[in-house]
Amino acid sequence: MSTTPHNSPRRRLSSALLAVLSLLAAAFLTAPTASARTEAVPTATLTEVTDFGTNPSNLQMYLYVPDNVTAHPAVVVAVHYCTGSGPAMYNGTEWARLADTFGFVVIYPSVTRSSKCFDVSSPQALKRGGGSDPVGIKSMIDWTVNAYSADTGRIYATGISSGAMMTNVLLGDYPDVFAAGAAFSGVPFGCFATTDGSEWNSACSGGTVTHTPQQWGDLVRAAYPGYSGTRPRMQVWHGTEDDVLRYPNFGEEIKQWTNVLGVSQTPAATDTPVSGWTRTRYGATGDRAPVEAISLQGVGHNLYSTGMAARALTFFGLDSTGPAPQPQPGACKVAATTNAWNTGLTASLTITNTGTTTINSWQLAFTLPAGQTITNGWGATYSPPSGSVTAANATYNGTIAPNASVSIGYQATHGGNSAAPTGFMLNGKACTTS
């Protein structure tokens, strides 16, 4: 492995993520260890698993299993950024909290090489079974499937920066393993390829590597020659001001995965789920389109923020489908009523903190009945206006003391179904209803 000059692009990548690292530093933990394939790991805590199988690049495996893990659970592989680790990814994202709600298992691979970057460059990494990091991650998945009888039809990958690049690589190398992926600030499969042992490809990071959709697709298909089965769906995220992995990579990812999945490069739907975001869907218009792409205007490389994992979860389909149990109630209660007329209605929601600690900066997620669209609201900011909605607190009501309540509401149109919303979750925890 070549040495890295102090002002190299990789150092710039590390600098771009200092804000995330500082947030994670306070949450350092020492994980317990599970070494035998037949040993179930403790629930509701991050555990290191050793001796998990073939591991040519000496990765570490960390596993999170919720208390309410389902029979035949889904599996999410959450891949860290350069300078990161499995525990840092556990502490800095919501995947474990979402697993608590929906009963799936999370694998957190962790790099041990000095750069703490995943290998997305070597010929070994860009070929199914070729060696390096993808083989170790595949072994982690196999261990988890065997230990928990996991649902092999519901295995997903997600990652940030280097982890986003690895998400692209995993879906290319193992299309028969993954159902979908979500890549936050990544590059296309094969874009970072090098032949000199270097981990860094300046042309790709600078956004100057461009190919036709067919050429990009051929790179993916070459990772597993002869494969003709179903290909995993892909969700990609990128900030327009990314100065580490430049924004043109976003368009190249779209070209690649629309070609791989055999859908048009012309969006089937375009919307703005959050101010400054442009979401395009390819091949279908719903939450689980073959390809979904979210562009964040004016945002740099370090784009990941709270709430994005839940959107990836929706893309995966893990928030509403499969054999998962009903989410376990959290320390909250919601009362909802509607008052309808013709094609309109008003809804009133009262959120009560039934716990023993104060809630600060809340977000209430819920599902509107089909045909309802919010036209205006009060007490919160609502986004998007239909389907799976999130209401975020206003500046004056962001704190809910124990046993206290906050009332919010909205006006909406409807197509005949004027029922109240359902599926209330406050800061990722399911609420009881009354």
Side-chain angles (χ1 to χ4, degrees), residues 386-400:
S386 60
S388 298
V389 178
T390 297
N393 66 267
T395 55
Y396 59 84
N397 64 1
T399 299
I400 313 177

Side-chain angles (χ1 to χ4, degrees), residues 3-27:
T3 58
T4 306
H6 180 72
N7 62 349
S8 70
R10 193 186 306 148
R11 293 292 185 186
R12 294 175 57 222
L13 179 59
S14 299
S15 298
L17 291 162
L18 282 177
V20 171
L21 290 173
S22 61
L23 176 66
L24 300 175

Side-chain angles (χ1 to χ4, degrees), residues 77-428:
V77 181
V79 194
H80 68 74
Y81 41 84
C82 279
T83 74
S85 67
M89 194 72 174
Y90 165 78
N91 285 312
T93 65
E94 309 99 296
W95 286 107
R97 175 164 57 79
L98 292 168
D100 286 336
T101 300
F102 295 104
F104 58 85
V105 174
V106 190
I107 299 171
Y108 298 93
S110 196
V111 169
T112 58
R113 64 177 63 89
S114 59
S115 67
K116 302 298 183 182
C117 297
F118 284 91
D119 176 14
V120 295
S121 306
S122 73
Q124 292 78 19
L126 298 174
K127 180 180 179 182
R128 177 187 178 83
S132 195
D133 296 348
V135 168
I137 294 173
K138 173 62 163 55
S139 295
M140 298 178 195
I141 294 168
D142 291 342
W143 189 99
T144 305
V145 168
N146 290 339
Y148 290 92
S149 299
D151 184 347
T152 56
R154 295 190 301 144
I155 297 175
Y156 306 87
T158 186
I160 302 169
S161 191
S162 178
M165 293 191 276
M166 178 52 73
T167 297
N168 278 265
V169 169
L170 290 172
L171 267 61
D173 284 356
Y174 296 102
D176 54 331
V177 172
F178 294 95
F184 296 85
S185 301
V187 302
F189 177 99
C191 183
F192 241 62
T194 59
T195 56
D196 60 359
S198 172
E199 294 178 31
W200 193 264
N201 185 318
S202 295
C204 179
S205 66
T208 62
V209 176
T210 61
H211 294 305
T212 66
Q214 182 68 35
Q215 290 169 332
W216 279 125
D218 287 345
L219 286 174
V220 171
R221 287 181 283 269
Y224 188 2
Y227 178 73
S228 59
T230 301
R231 293 278 178 175
R233 298 176 298 110
M234 176 60 97
Q235 182 190 65
V236 294
W237 301 67
H238 223 101
T240 61
E241 301 304 313
D242 193 326
D243 62 352
V244 178
L245 301 174
R246 297 282 183 176
Y247 185 65
N249 284 300
F250 178 65
E252 300 302 301
E253 283 180 290
I254 294 171
K255 287 159 62 175
Q256 182 172 69
W257 292 105
T258 52
N259 180 267
V260 167
L261 287 156
V263 299
S264 172
Q265 291 182 67
T266 301
T270 302
D271 66 356
T272 305
V274 173
S275 178
W277 295 13
T278 300
R279 178 172 60 187
T280 47
R281 288 167 166 167
Y282 302 84
T285 61
D287 286 337
R288 291 198 281 171
V291 178
E292 181 173 278
I294 302 97
S295 173
L296 282 67
Q297 182 65 40
V299 176
H301 183 66
N302 187 20
L303 64 76
Y304 181 85
S305 63
T306 299
M308 291 181 178
R311 291 180 181 274
L313 194 78
T314 297
F315 178 75
F316 292 166
L318 290 182
D319 60 349
S320 59
T321 63
Q326 291 298 313
Q328 298 300 304
C332 53
K333 180 175 66 175
V334 176
T337 60
T338 59
N339 181 22
W341 67 90
N342 295 331
T343 59
L345 63 84
T346 58
S348 297
L349 310 178
T350 300
I351 309 163
T352 301
N353 178 3
T354 59
T356 59
T357 59
T358 298
I359 297 172
N360 295 298
S361 299
W362 53 265
Q363 290 189 338
L364 181 70
F366 55 85
T367 301
L368 286 180
Q372 291 188 16
T373 301
I374 295 174
T375 54
N376 60 76
W378 51 92
T381 302
Y382 300 84
S383 178
S386 60
S388 298
V389 178
T390 297
N393 66 267
T395 55
Y396 59 84
N397 64 1
T399 299
I400 313 177
N403 300 314
S405 299
V406 167
S407 293
I408 62 175
Y410 57 84
Q411 185 171 344
T413 58
H414 67 84
N417 185 350
S418 59
T422 57
F424 296 102
M425 293 177 60
L426 187 65
N427 291 353

